[in-house]
Amino acid sequence: MRQQFQLPGAHSSAIDRRLSALVRHLGDSSASSMESQNPNQTIYASVTASFNGDSVFSNIVRAPEDPILGVTVAFNKDPSPIKLNLGVGAYRTEEGKPLVLNVVRRAEQLIVNDRSRVKEYLPITGLADFNKFSAKLIFGADSPAIQGNRVATVQCLSGTGSLRVGAEFLARHYHQRLIYIPLPTWGNHPKIFATAGLSVKTYRYYDPATRGLNFQGLLEDLGSAPSGAVVLLHACAHNPTGVDPTLEQWEQIRQLMRSKGLLPFFDSAYQGFASGSLDADAQPVRMFVADGGECLAAQSYAKNMGLYGERVGALSIVCKTTDVASRVESQLKLVIRPMYSSPPIHGASIVATILKDRDMYNEWTVELKAMADRIISMRKQLFDALRARGTPGDWSHIIKQIGMFTFTGLNSEQVAFMTNEYHIYMTSDGRISMAGLSSKTVPHLVDAIHAAVTRVV
Ligand code: PLA
């Protein structure tokens, strides 16, 4: 019997010995009982087979890199000293360095020095103060929904995790499984919702001809959506287009959606990054809450507090009554517990420390405004430089668009050319992260765009 354990043709006696020891160990315990149940198919056979050659995963097909995060993977492999990463939406300083906000460092110091803080598990719903202040941040301190105690807020893993928990909740408990997302939208949206089991449809949003909002198309598509359908709305600084509805247009969208009973699901990943004001950027969400109706909102602190890798975010579900909100929260716990049990403590403690303290909150708003202003100034510099260079095309959309990204209108061949010839990395849809640009790198980008539009058609 033991002969079965021999590896045919194996020359490594060390491996042989370890394998034999392992199989003996298995044979002494579980294997013998399995053998007695099924004498023709022993565990020995499967152990030797997997060591013999073919992996049990040998049929796995290699997956493509993520269209956004894969840009960074390619960028990291490029040895060129002039390379520039305008792919992922991550803020960089004028020196091209990632930024940790001073107020975040200050909050971290306080946390580290506070010996009463421990590392116990948070509740399933996360840090209570974090949830309370996050809801206030997006809905406003005087929000009727907060005052009426009818918001269920749970701490989640940044914006993505908040969207995913919201999607799972809807798939389990909401009568309509259809969600409408804008065309185009952040590339992860359709995957998040489809993975949760929702059916995903698009509504018209961007008009390539005007490089602006296709408002008519949007109204028509939402107008013909079935009653009760969920609608994903970017709260501000639409990704990838940088095109937002005006407040008047938001009001029309609100009226249409409420009249048809469509359920708004806001993705708020850039609060404060669009205008530099946290309150102004939350205005569209607050309009929908002010009418007393229900909605979902996913918040991320990745960009506006620079907490990318800390994975801090919140999902809020605004309900009609306190009782419904508390039942909703009880079900959110059932979604979260088998997914990741409870959220991490550190990032949420940073956010809560800052949001709770008036002085730190103010310091944050100043630093946030400085980031937003630097992005706005990069728009102006890029636009001016393209004009000065005489690059063919109307580039006014660069200064009209809002938030972290410019949707340049460059096609995928032009993008590939810029990457190959100029080592400039961006997503293939022509989106560039303005936050990755600096005064020093504008001339290089302008050279690349000029060459792309004059040489690659
Ligand atoms: N929603 C939108 C609209 C986003 O653009 C992003 C991030 C998220 C949610 C999720 O962010 P979070 O999970 O980190 O909080 N979009 C980035 C990064 C900045 C990415 O693709 O993950 C982007 O480059 O588009």
Side-chain angles (χ1 to χ4, degrees):
M1 195 59 182
R2 291 285 177 221
Q3 271 149 355
Q4 284 184 33
F5 314 149
Q6 294 292 327
L7 283 175
H11 7 263
S12 161
S13 56
I15 292 178
D16 261 7
R17 274 197 306 276
R18 256 179 288 157
L19 181 60
S20 298
L22 170 67
V23 175
R24 256 196 316 278
H25 168 75
L26 288 173
D28 289 345
S29 52
S30 54
S32 49
S33 61
M34 284 181 71
E35 205 180 2
S36 58
Q37 285 164 21
N38 186 356
N40 296 328
Q41 201 190 357
T42 69
I43 192 162
Y44 311 127
S46 68
V47 168
T48 33
S50 63
F51 276 93
N52 257 343
D54 282 357
S55 162
V56 291
F57 303 117
S58 54
N59 291 332
I60 298 268
V61 174
R62 180 172 306 281
E65 287 285 0
D66 181 81
I68 297 174
L69 301 184
V71 174
T72 304
V73 175
F75 172 82
N76 287 339
K77 284 187 193 150
D78 186 340
S80 168
I82 56 159
K83 66 179 178 175
L84 182 58
N85 189 0
L86 304 178
V88 68
Y91 185 81
R92 296 285 178 268
T93 63
E94 259 295 296
E95 288 69 47
K97 298 268 183 321
L99 179 69
V100 180
L101 300 184
N102 282 325
V103 71
V104 165
R105 295 250 190 243
R106 201 143 78 87
E108 282 188 312
Q109 281 303 335
L110 286 177
I111 292 165
V112 168
N113 293 337
D114 181 353
R115 305 294 297 181
S116 71
R117 283 185 191 261
V118 291
K119 302 284 188 190
E120 291 286 288
Y121 291 129
L122 286 179
I124 297 172
T125 51
L127 196 64
D129 271 353
F130 168 86
N131 289 337
K132 186 171 107 192
F133 287 99
S134 292
K136 277 190 181 171
L137 184 71
I138 188 155
F139 301 124
D142 55 355
S143 165
I146 293 178
Q147 282 171 359
N149 207 16
R150 49 189 179 80
V151 185
T153 304
V154 288
Q155 180 193 332
C156 296
L157 303 187
S158 213
T160 308
S162 307
L163 290 164
R164 182 62 201 270
V165 168
E168 292 280 343
F169 170 84
L170 291 171
R172 261 188 227 184
H173 299 288
Y174 188 56
H175 67 277
Q176 178 54 270
R177 305 215 133 209
L178 190 54
I179 182 161
Y180 281 77
I181 61 175
L183 187 67
T185 191
W186 179 47
N188 216 11
H189 277 150
K191 298 171 196 170
I192 291 169
F193 295 118
T195 307
L198 299 176
S199 312
V200 180
K201 281 197 171 173
T202 58
Y203 62 89
R204 278 171 285 173
Y205 189 85
Y206 179 73
D207 183 354
T210 62
R211 298 214 170 106
L213 186 68
N214 181 353
F215 190 51
Q216 206 47 46
L218 178 151
L219 292 179
E220 279 169 27
D221 289 350
L222 295 189
S224 53
S227 160
V230 185
V231 179
L232 191 276
L233 300 160
H234 293 228
C236 69
H238 182 274
N239 176 9
T241 67
V243 173
D244 283 354
T246 62
L247 283 182
E248 293 71 39
Q249 288 169 332
W250 272 117
E251 176 53 20
Q252 283 186 62
I253 296 169
R254 188 193 66 77
Q255 284 177 15
L256 171 70
M257 285 183 57
R258 290 308 193 201
S259 72
K260 295 210 53 176
L262 303 174
L263 181 64
F265 192 159
F266 283 99
D267 180 0
S268 179
Y270 299 95
Q271 189 180 353
F273 252 82
S275 67
S277 154
L278 288 156
D279 287 323
D281 287 356
Q283 220 35 52
V285 178
R286 293 178 190 177
M287 285 164 63
F288 277 77
V289 176
D291 68 15
E294 297 175 301
C295 71
L296 289 83
Q299 281 170 274
S300 166
Y301 289 96
K303 272 69 72 174
N304 58 12
M305 235 182 244
L307 292 175
Y308 306 89
E310 294 288 357
R311 313 305 294 143
V312 204
L315 171 74
S316 286
I317 305 190
V318 176
C319 306
K320 284 268 167 89
T321 67
T322 310
D323 176 48
V324 173
S326 90
R327 279 184 280 136
V328 163
E329 187 189 297
S330 73
Q331 288 295 341
L332 286 171
K333 287 159 75 171
L334 296 195
V335 171
I336 291 167
R337 172 68 169 148
M339 246 199 240
Y340 54 86
S341 191
S342 63
I345 196 167
H346 185 68
S349 305
I350 298 172
V351 174
T353 303
I354 294 170
L355 297 186
K356 264 191 325 203
D357 181 283
R358 184 189 294 268
D359 179 45
M360 290 182 112
Y361 182 91
N362 290 339
E363 186 178 344
W364 174 42
T365 60
V366 172
E367 290 192 78
L368 176 57
K369 174 93 169 57
M371 289 195 284
D373 284 350
R374 199 186 83 71
I375 295 172
I376 293 167
S377 118
M378 289 329 303
R379 291 187 179 281
K380 180 98 179 63
Q381 287 185 40
L382 179 60
F383 173 70
D384 289 347
L386 283 166
R387 279 249 290 239
R389 181 70 188 264
T391 304
D394 170 10
W395 298 98
S396 59
H397 55 286
I398 295 177
I399 42 177
K400 282 186 209 137
Q401 293 172 358
I402 293 163
M404 228 172 187
F405 303 108
T406 287
F407 207 42
T408 58
L410 294 164
N411 62 38
S412 58
E413 287 82 22
Q414 291 167 329
V415 170
F417 168 85
M418 287 169 59
T419 305
N420 294 334
E421 302 291 323
Y422 289 82
H423 306 274
I424 292 176
Y425 289 78
M426 53 200 276
T427 51
S428 62
D429 58 1
R431 183 192 88 166
I432 58 176
S433 169
M434 298 306 289
L437 200 59
S438 69
S439 309
K440 274 189 251 98
T441 50
V442 164
H444 181 51
L445 177 59
V446 169
D447 285 347
I449 294 178
H450 191 90
V453 297
T454 49
R455 286 164 49 191
V456 188
V457 238

